[in-house]
Amino acid sequence: MLIVTDKNGLIRFFNPEASHITGYTEDELIDQQTPLIFHDRTEIEKIRKELFNEFGTTIRDDFEVITEKARRNILEEAEYKYRRKDGSIFPISLTITVIWDKNQQVVGYMGVGIDI
């Protein structure tokens, strides 16, 4: 599955596989939601604490929690619990990368996930 966001996290692209896996349509998400709609709140808080321990920085914004390592050019494949539209939970292996413009400014993020 492939999800692309702008730099603030707003979903800009949501491929058919992502729709199939999550139960959401493009119309429900594109330009309306961030990927946080899929994430478990408890998991976000756990990651926030791990990032503080690793980098010594408090990250307040939830979207920044899931993109912090990508912003630091750390390529990481991590397992998350994602929530489908129907509320069911499924594990996903997710890699997030930064999308840069020609001036090396962050313009978005690309998440590639594999339903495990």
Side-chain angles (χ1 to χ4, degrees):
M1 105 175 171
L2 178 66
I3 300 172
V4 177
T5 72
D6 64 14
K7 67 180 180 180
N8 299 313
L10 200 59
I11 295 172
R12 298 296 187 180
F13 177 80
F14 191 73
N15 78 344
E17 181 65 17
S19 183
H20 174 74
I21 291 171
T22 65
Y24 287 95
T25 65
E26 290 180 19
D27 291 339
E28 292 174 290
L29 300 177
I30 292 180
D31 296 329
Q32 298 178 56
Q33 293 288 337
T34 72
L36 293 172
I37 193 170
F38 310 117
H39 285 268
D40 176 72
R41 183 86 190 133
T42 305
E43 194 168 60
I44 294 290
E45 291 307 315
K46 179 183 171 221
I47 296 166
R48 186 185 322 275
K49 290 176 186 172
E50 290 170 358
L51 290 170
F52 178 79
N53 290 336
E54 187 171 349
F55 301 119
T57 304
T58 300
I59 302 165
R60 298 200 188 320
D61 180 271
D62 289 351
F63 183 70
E64 289 181 8
V65 168
I66 62 173
T67 58
E68 180 65 21
K69 287 193 175 181
R71 276 195 309 280
R72 292 175 180 257
N73 290 319
I74 299 170
L75 184 62
E76 177 184 64
E77 185 176 333
E79 187 175 315
Y80 292 94
K81 295 175 192 165
Y82 260 31
R83 184 176 315 277
R84 291 184 177 97
K85 185 177 179 181
D86 69 9
S88 63
I89 303 293
F90 66 100
I92 190 165
S93 177
L94 184 66
T95 302
I96 299 171
T97 56
V98 175
I99 301 170
W100 305 94
D101 69 9
K102 64 182 178 181
N103 298 316
Q104 295 301 307
Q105 299 297 311
V106 175
V107 294
Y109 298 91
M110 179 174 61
V112 177
I114 300 169
D115 182 1
I116 52 176

